[in-house]
Amino acid sequence: MRILVVGANGQIGSKLVKMLKEDDRYTPVAMVRKEEQSEKFQSEGIEAVLADLEGPVGDLENAVKGNDAIIFAAGSGGSTGLDKTLLIDLDGAVKVMEAAENSNVNRFILVSALQAHNRENWNEELRPYYVAKHYADKMLEASSLDYTIVRPGGLLNEPGTGTIQLGLNLERGSIPREDVARTLLEVISAENSYRTAFDLISGEVEIEKAIKEI
């Protein structure tokens, strides 16, 4: 399976691309917006495509065509303004969904945020970010795609533990980015996760087992 990773140069995306490359089931395709990022992946033997989430849907269709699944792990980042939160985390995600539907790429995995579906539990300091995630999630749920929405808690740059907790309404918690990437990897072919959404934090259940029990 060819797996397009949108946001492949990000912290979760870059870990995921490496995991995909090491897995015999998958061939990663890194979607990036800068030539130097593309060259970096290609130097590592990883296919890369150039596309801009702020560009037209037609350009994104060219990037997604020929792939078997899409993992949207892009984000505007904490150092940008609210305009980029809207343009990347919301509109960018929705445009990739449209491109996927138009290109018959039915498997779509979206990285969201813990409790994005529940307004009462949003982090007040990140409210605009949660608004973007909330409505991107809703647009995906209303699509025809075989989606899975993964809503991780606070992201850590610690080594992964390989164990997680997932569920519909988890208390606030954190999780290493490595474990988020590993969860995304395990979800790709898990048909029991189609058209589902779940919160994700560190826990005591092995990732593969937790995904099987969704």
Side-chain angles (χ1 to χ4, degrees), residues 7-211:
N9 200 57
Q11 295 188 72
I12 292 174
S14 58
K15 294 178 188 300
L16 176 60
V17 167
K18 289 178 182 177
M19 292 177 186
L20 288 164
K21 189 174 187 294
E22 294 168 356
D23 193 312
D24 292 339
R25 298 172 294 175
Y26 305 120
T27 299
V29 181
M31 185 180 126
V32 293
R33 64 185 180 89
K34 295 181 179 179
E35 184 64 46
E36 58 265 32
Q37 295 168 346
S38 174
E39 291 172 356
K40 182 196 79 170
F41 282 110
Q42 290 177 23
S43 70
E44 297 169 357
I46 295 165
E47 184 179 344
V49 293
L50 284 173
D52 189 344
L53 291 172
E54 295 183 52
V57 173
D59 288 355
L60 295 170
E61 287 177 16
N62 291 331
V64 306
K65 282 176 182 173
N67 293 292
D68 299 296
I70 297 167
I71 301 177
F72 190 96
S76 55
S79 60
T80 59
L82 297 182
D83 57 335
K84 292 296 183 183
T85 301
L86 281 176
L87 293 170
I88 302 300
D89 296 87
L90 177 51
D91 193 45
V94 173
K95 285 193 288 190
V96 178
M97 296 170 204
E98 293 174 4
E101 287 186 310
N102 294 344
S103 304
N104 296 314
V105 182
N106 293 319
R107 185 70 176 117
F108 197 107
I109 300 166
L110 177 65
V111 180
S112 181
L114 187 79
Q115 288 286 296
H117 61 298
N118 191 344
R119 290 187 181 92
E120 286 68 32
N121 290 339
W122 288 355
N123 184 329
E124 287 299 319
E125 295 178 4
L126 300 173
R127 198 166 184 82
Y129 170 78
Y130 270 87
V131 170
K133 293 297 188 184
H134 179 82
Y135 286 102
D137 289 5
K138 281 190 170 293
M139 290 298 290
L140 184 53
E141 289 170 337
S143 75
S144 64
L145 300 169
D146 291 326
Y147 68 82
T148 304
I149 300 170
V150 179
R151 298 174 172 139
L155 299 170
L156 306 174
N157 284 326
E158 300 172 358
T161 65
T163 57
I164 59 172
Q165 180 182 359
L166 58 81
L168 287 178
N169 290 289
L170 299 184
E171 295 292 328
R172 188 174 296 182
S174 57
I175 185 168
R177 286 179 170 86
E178 183 180 339
D179 285 335
V180 176
R182 182 70 61 186
T183 300
L184 297 172
L185 178 73
E186 291 298 331
V187 157
I188 294 170
S189 297
E191 292 188 14
N192 63 308
S193 74
Y194 285 12
R195 303 194 71 80
T196 67
F198 56 83
D199 292 335
L200 177 69
I201 58 175
S202 290
E204 298 180 356
V205 182
E206 291 184 3
I207 293 172
E208 186 175 355
K209 184 173 186 290
I211 298 303

